[in-house]
Amino acid sequence: MKIIAIIQARMGSSRLPGKVLKPLGNVDVLTYNIERCRAIKGIDEVIVATSTLSQDDSIVTWCEEHQVAYFRGSEGDVLDRYVQCAKFYKPDYVMRVTSDCPFVDYEMASEMLELMIKERKDIVFIKGQLPRGLAVEIISYEALLHINEVGQEPRHREHVTYYAYEFIEEFTYATYDVPENRNVPNLRITLDTKEDLIMITEVVKYFNDPLVSSVDVIKFLKEHPEISEINAHIEQKPVI
């Protein structure tokens, strides 16, 4: 069984341009993201999928300097970017990760992958309410190809797996129950605004470890509300 993680990354961002290469401690946001993805048990390859736009040349340069595999595809049609990237590797399963989540939960992702290997479904659905920024998605390659064929609305092309959530009856799925120590939906541990960056930087100052457990990050933020409140007012952009 071949399993790859594809990290979607681009420099264009309406609220925080260039966010994926912003400094974070002694490294940068993308380093945190990639190191944590590489720590997921069962992943064979981690690939950064960026666009063909010239503004994303800096991501390609970064990948080449850090010996990270990369793929370039459509900027707007993220689903096609995933499919074309995956076709090159021909995996059994694809893990979707977004590069603006520097604290992606690699321990939980390992458990989700173990569940998928055991149950062999089309997709894993998460039951519970995680802090924003910790989750990954796991989907079979065949299900990804199916979504690419039938999911033609803009939201399907932008959000990759969104079609599966709208038309759940077309897929088999496994359910991952969020552990109680991660069931904290009021926390925002993602990067989309300057306030997010300020908050995340405070976390990095405390731990200074790209592989710190997400559980420890959650505990720290619960114990330091003055930090978690820095970006608590930020609203996520709606799916259109």
Side-chain angles (χ1 to χ4, degrees):
M1 181 173 291
K2 187 175 184 179
I3 304 165
I4 63 173
I6 300 178
I7 304 171
Q8 60 188 75
R10 65 188 182 96
M11 294 298 285
S13 170
S14 59
R15 297 204 278 191
L16 189 63
K19 60 186 178 181
V20 302
L21 293 183
K22 293 287 186 185
L24 207 54
N26 299 323
V27 288
D28 51 48
V29 173
L30 196 52
T31 294
Y32 264 72
N33 193 278
I34 288 174
E35 289 302 309
R36 295 176 76 84
C37 285
R38 285 177 168 173
I40 298 170
K41 297 177 181 178
I43 292 293
D44 295 301
E45 183 78 69
V46 176
I47 308 107
V48 171
T50 191
S51 88
T52 55
L53 296 182
S54 59
Q55 67 184 15
D56 289 324
D57 289 349
S58 56
I59 292 178
V60 170
T61 298
W62 186 98
C63 288
E64 291 175 343
E65 291 176 350
H66 292 80
Q67 298 182 320
V68 173
Y70 66 88
F71 175 85
R72 305 191 77 166
S74 172
E75 198 266 350
D77 191 342
V78 188
L79 175 55
D80 183 72
R81 195 194 314 168
Y82 264 79
V83 169
Q84 298 308 320
C85 177
K87 280 182 178 179
F88 182 79
Y89 292 91
K90 293 182 171 54
D92 295 288
Y93 288 96
V94 174
M95 181 174 288
R96 179 192 177 215
V97 183
T98 57
S99 58
D100 53 5
C101 296
F103 288 105
V104 60
D105 193 330
Y106 63 90
E107 294 166 316
M108 185 181 69
S110 297
E111 294 176 357
M112 291 173 62
L113 196 50
E114 182 180 14
L115 175 66
M116 179 63 98
I117 292 172
K118 178 181 178 181
E119 297 201 13
R120 306 290 180 96
K121 305 295 186 180
D122 291 328
I123 194 167
V124 174
F125 287 135
I126 296 175
K127 183 180 180 181
Q129 294 182 300
L130 288 164
R132 181 169 290 279
L134 300 190
V136 303
E137 294 179 298
I138 306 172
I139 187 168
S140 73
Y141 178 54
E142 293 302 321
L144 185 67
L145 294 178
H146 173 69
I147 290 174
N148 189 48
E149 290 181 4
V150 298
Q152 299 303 320
E153 296 296 327
R155 62 186 179 277
H156 302 149
R157 310 310 300 183
E158 180 181 358
H159 298 286
V160 184
T161 60
Y162 201 83
Y163 181 91
Y165 294 88
E166 286 192 334
F167 300 96
I168 189 173
E169 69 278 359
E170 296 182 22
F171 303 88
T172 62
Y173 62 91
T175 301
Y176 177 83
D177 293 307
V178 172
E180 190 59 34
N181 58 8
R182 292 171 172 84
N183 213 330
V184 192
N186 62 304
L187 295 180
R188 179 179 172 84
I189 318 177
T190 189
L191 179 59
D192 196 38
T193 69
K194 61 181 181 180
E195 292 89 349
D196 293 333
L197 182 59
I198 293 169
M199 192 284 285
I200 288 171
T201 298
E202 290 300 315
V203 176
V204 170
K205 284 180 182 178
Y206 184 82
F207 291 105
N208 193 30
D209 179 11
L211 293 181
V212 59
S213 171
S214 296
V215 173
D216 290 336
V217 173
I218 291 170
K219 183 173 182 289
F220 171 77
L221 291 174
K222 289 172 69 176
E223 292 174 350
H224 295 83
E226 74 280 4
I227 294 176
S228 64
E229 288 171 2
I230 292 172
N231 66 340
H233 65 286
I234 300 298
E235 294 184 4
Q236 195 70 11
K237 290 185 291 186
V239 174
I240 299 175

